[in-house]
Amino acid sequence: MEFFGFSVFNSLEGGMLVAVAAVIFIVGLMLTIKGGDWFVDSASWFAEATGIPKFVVGATVVSFATTLPELLVSVRAAMNGSAQLAIGNAVGSVTANTTLIMGVSLVAIAGVVSRKSFSLKGGLFLAAIVGLTVLSFGNALPTWSAYILWAIFIVFMISNVIEGKKGAETDVIDIYEKKEVPKKIIWFLLGTASIILGAEFLVSSGKTIASSLGVSETIIGFTVIALGTSLPELVTTLTAIRKKESSLSVGNIIGANIIDTTLILPLCAVISGKPLPVEKINLVFDFPVCIAACAVAVIPTIIQGRFKKWQGFVLLGIYAVYMVLLILNETGLIAIG
């Protein structure tokens, strides 16, 4: 069993290993659930106390926290010269975030958004995916393209800062709430750590349990591992749904996707010092599916000024078809690309 790349419990075998994995799975589940509560509660409090829109808080502070595992893993891989799978992993994560996690969020709570705010951020999200696709046409993402993608990220951050300053009010936080700030920051950090640690426990123990049950590595890769990379966003979304914080949830998903494509990927390219390889299946299948999902999530919302439940159902349908086709391709039943 591995945790954060380190092998542990190698001496355990058979039933004992499964039993230990089951305990770790339960601990991971408890950590992610409780961490999600602390995380969303503190982020929501911060938005209300400062007057900054919850969508903006979700797109910045929350998104940076939930993408931290992907950032650390990607940077470590690039420094070790193992960034070959960076694009496939990033696009797969963005697709999962948009189709599965946003799909679940919209089916549960399809709320109204600020058209002006969402139009810019949704447009940047779409531009990032389309730009990444175009820049990868040569079967590799050139190092110089990092600066183009970073430009999108900078615009995204500037827009959030401007919107945050407009929304914040100098007299929102009273004397009592000022005393609460250090406590809320601690709970936010504890929630972040709990989600990240819990997600690692769930994925590692889930892989061990699935292997012991005879599940193939292919299925494990496309279920446990694929879901694991997006687990922090999923936990945040499910917690936000339970607490009726849809703006925080959607902001988190949009922000996490922009960070994945315009910050983490370019950083990998620059650190590795060479173009990031792009597989043919990425160009002919992964990128088009990701663009289609982004279009379903963004374009109707910009036009209508609100999300609709049908968008959630369509996104979940795209995710189901995407996963089935990937598994069929991996098992050799069909050939994509």
Side-chain angles (χ1 to χ4, degrees), residues 32 35-36 39-40 43 57-73 93 97 101 188-189 191-197 199 227-240 248-260 264:
T32 54
F39 188 73
V40 171
V57 173
T60 51
V61 180
V62 175
S63 295
F64 273 106
T66 57
T67 55
L68 184 60
E70 293 169 47
L71 175 62
L72 295 176
V73 170
S93 178
N97 285 347
I101 301 176
F188 182 83
L189 295 175
T192 303
S194 295
I195 291 174
I196 293 172
L197 187 62
L227 185 59
T229 59
S230 298
L231 197 53
E233 288 87 357
L234 179 58
V235 170
T236 302
T237 294
L238 293 177
T239 307
L248 200 68
S249 168
V250 173
N252 175 33
I253 296 168
I254 296 293
N257 287 341
I258 291 177
I259 290 171
D260 273 339
I264 297 178

Side-chain angles (χ1 to χ4, degrees), residues 187-239:
W187 283 119
F188 182 83
L189 295 175
L190 282 174
T192 303
S194 295
I195 291 174
I196 293 172
L197 187 62
E200 181 68 18
F201 281 3
L202 286 172
V203 173
S204 297
S205 59
K207 286 166 58 180
T208 300
I209 294 170
S211 296
S212 69
L213 295 175
V215 180
S216 70
E217 292 186 3
T218 298
I219 303 299
I220 293 173
F222 283 113
T223 53
V224 178
I225 298 175
L227 185 59
T229 59
S230 298
L231 197 53
E233 288 87 357
L234 179 58
V235 170
T236 302
T237 294
L238 293 177
T239 307

Side-chain angles (χ1 to χ4, degrees), residues 135-138 140-147 269 274-276:
L135 291 168
S136 302
F137 275 167
L141 183 68
T143 305
W144 56 263
S145 67
Y147 302 103
K274 56 185 178 182
L276 297 179

